[in-house]
């Protein structure tokens, strides 16, 4: 399926948000996620289906000051 990840078009074979994160290399990373501008908590990622054309935002925390 074709989705947009952080503004960049991607083609993934992932049925859920959790599968997409794994495929994109974010498997165990501490990140914040949103699908179509709706925040998705980590506990719900495996139950959050993705559809062709969805927009996924992945934000990793930064350290520093």
């Amino acid at each position: 399926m074709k989705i947009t990840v952080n503004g960049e078009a991607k083609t993934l074979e992932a049925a859920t948000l959790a599968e997409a994160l794994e495929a994109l290399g974010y498997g165990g990373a501490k990140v914040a996620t949103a699908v179509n501008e709706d925040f998705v908590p980590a506990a719900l990622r495996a139950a959050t289906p993705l559809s062709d054309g969805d927009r996924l935002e992945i934000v990793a925390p930064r350290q520093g000051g």
Side-chain angles (χ1 to χ4, degrees), residues 5 7 9 22 25 61:
V5 180
E22 191 69 38

Side-chain angles (χ1 to χ4, degrees), residues 19-58:
E19 290 175 12
L21 289 172
E22 191 69 38
L24 292 165
Y26 290 97
K30 300 283 187 198
V31 294
T33 55
V35 176
N36 299 325
E37 300 179 12
D38 291 323
F39 173 73
V40 180
L44 297 179
R45 292 176 186 161
T48 302
L50 294 178
S51 299
D52 200 46
D54 278 349
R55 295 177 320 278
L56 173 58
E57 293 294 325
I58 304 168

